[in-house]
Amino acid sequence: MQPSTRNYRGELVSSFFFLIACVFLGWQLLPGLFRPSVNRPPTDIEKAFKTHDLDKLHQLFDSMLAENKQSSVTFLRICDWCQQAQEWDLTNEYAERGVQLCKYAPAEERAVLYDSIAIALSETISVCPQTKAIEAAERALQLAPNMAVTQNTLGYLLADNNTDLTRAQELIEKALAATNKEPDSEGKQLELAGIEDSYGWVLLKSGKTEMAIDILNRAIGRLPSQNDNSLVNRAELKTMHYHLGAAYHKAGKISNARNSLAVSLFYDPNYQLAKHELETMDTELKSTVVTHQKP
């Protein structure tokens, strides 16, 4: 699941590493899991997001970039805010501009810009294979091959597109191993939750259903209180519970599957993947009933 970035100096260093850790997922590649309030955009930008005022957002962002001489730090900050607001076209637009204008920024920063492109494209391209998203994730990994976030994002995308599952699992396992070596902290638990969700998803795709169920339950169990109704948290939670519901369905544990999918739809009643999974189960049940009724 799905996962933003920076070249930070001084007081910004800690934010840089936090955001690097959070970019994963996307899962459904969803980025920015449970970011702290210090990472929220200024009030005028937050207001423009809420009213979906794209002209105002462009004006504010371009003013920031002009003031900061088109710095990679500013591009990364903008992309992070756009991901939090789930403005995927804006995320892609400013990440693309960033990689073009910041060609001499450190490799890790450019990697996370490409990672942002991959996440945005994965959210806007509905037809598989999501080739352009995967290409952007490949570019991110080339720039930062040992960074857990780039390993996880590409691994998740490969799994989600049913492409090279062996490599997908290897990448996600590397991301897990690297993250497990980090000092214990709440941030580490959030990172592990996201990467374990990716791991459970690739295991399910590979036919290791029971193992996938264990890992997906562990991922959800790492999360803090789920009472936060922010867009970001709801998006992450709906995806994780959908993954678990799909795993239960494949294992034939229909009651568990319905419960998990109901939680997913609680966070987003219009979530098509969860709705489709429920419809598939209903169709299978009707087919079974009809078969048993035949003389």
Side-chain angles (χ1 to χ4, degrees):
M1 301 139 184
Q2 280 123 74
S4 305
T5 74
R6 304 176 162 64
N7 168 27
Y8 294 50
R9 297 293 184 270
E11 71 275 15
L12 292 176
V13 170
S14 60
S15 297
F16 170 67
F17 286 109
F18 177 83
L19 291 172
I20 287 287
C22 284
V23 168
F24 108 126
L25 244 173
W27 329 315
Q28 202 141 347
L29 294 158
L30 300 176
L33 173 66
F34 300 104
R35 288 190 171 95
S37 59
V38 69
N39 215 24
R40 291 178 59 181
T43 302
D44 51 353
I45 292 176
E46 195 166 38
K47 182 179 178 180
F49 275 131
K50 287 180 179 178
T51 57
H52 195 61
D53 190 340
L54 298 183
D55 289 338
K56 182 65 172 180
L57 287 167
H58 277 105
Q59 176 188 340
L60 292 168
F61 292 158
D62 291 346
S63 176
M64 286 176 57
L65 288 164
E67 290 175 4
N68 292 284
K69 300 180 181 180
Q70 309 289 335
S71 76
S72 56
V73 171
T74 308
F75 276 112
L76 292 166
R77 185 178 293 278
I78 289 169
C79 288
D80 180 50
W81 292 335
C82 290
Q83 289 181 69
Q84 290 186 56
Q86 298 182 51
E87 288 285 356
W88 303 116
D89 288 336
L90 276 180
T91 301
N92 186 56
E93 176 186 344
Y94 281 93
E96 288 275 10
R97 285 172 59 179
V99 297
Q100 292 299 319
L101 293 172
C102 304
K103 294 180 179 179
Y104 301 105
E108 290 80 3
E109 295 168 25
R110 289 183 288 132
V112 185
L113 282 171
Y114 275 108
D115 204 87
S116 296
I117 293 170
I119 292 168
L121 290 176
S122 74
E123 290 288 343
T124 54
I125 299 173
S126 58
V127 179
C128 291
Q130 297 168 310
T131 305
K132 290 185 177 179
I134 293 171
E135 288 174 350
E138 290 276 15
R139 181 62 176 141
L141 186 69
Q142 290 171 4
L143 287 165
N146 297 316
M147 219 161 69
V149 63
T150 59
Q151 294 166 341
N152 184 68
T153 297
L154 179 56
Y156 180 87
L157 278 175
L158 291 174
D160 208 40
N161 284 267
N162 290 304
T163 301
D164 200 348
L165 295 179
T166 299
R167 184 180 179 217
Q169 184 171 335
E170 290 173 351
L171 286 167
I172 295 168
E173 285 175 346
K174 286 181 180 178
L176 267 177
T179 305
N180 271 315
K181 292 178 182 177
E182 295 176 4
D184 287 334
S185 67
E186 182 179 353
K188 175 182 175 178
Q189 294 305 308
L190 297 178
E191 289 179 63
L192 285 172
I195 301 171
E196 285 176 345
D197 179 73
S198 298
Y199 192 37
W201 194 229
V202 73
L203 289 172
L204 179 63
K205 296 277 185 173
S206 302
K208 301 169 184 175
T209 308
E210 292 299 331
M211 188 182 300
I213 289 172
D214 289 343
I215 296 294
L216 290 167
N217 271 306
R218 185 191 306 169
I220 292 172
R222 288 187 187 276
L223 299 180
S225 170
Q226 298 176 12
N227 295 325
D228 189 330
N229 284 323
S230 71
L231 281 175
V232 171
N233 293 356
R234 294 178 74 88
E236 305 293 357
L237 289 165
K238 77 176 186 184
T239 303
M240 296 180 80
H241 284 283
Y242 157 65
H243 287 166
L244 183 58
Y248 277 133
H249 177 196
K250 190 171 183 179
K253 300 177 180 179
I254 303 304
S255 177
N256 296 63
R258 289 189 184 280
N259 289 339
S260 294
L261 293 169
V263 174
S264 176
L265 289 169
F266 167 79
Y267 288 110
D268 181 357
N270 297 314
Y271 190 28
Q272 292 303 309
L273 291 174
K275 291 172 76 172
H276 177 72
E277 196 74 26
L278 280 171
E279 290 168 2
T280 301
M281 285 194 295
D282 289 338
T283 300
E284 292 170 352
L285 179 60
K286 290 177 182 178
S287 176
T288 302
V289 171
V290 169
T291 300
H292 288 167
Q293 288 177 345
K294 287 183 178 180

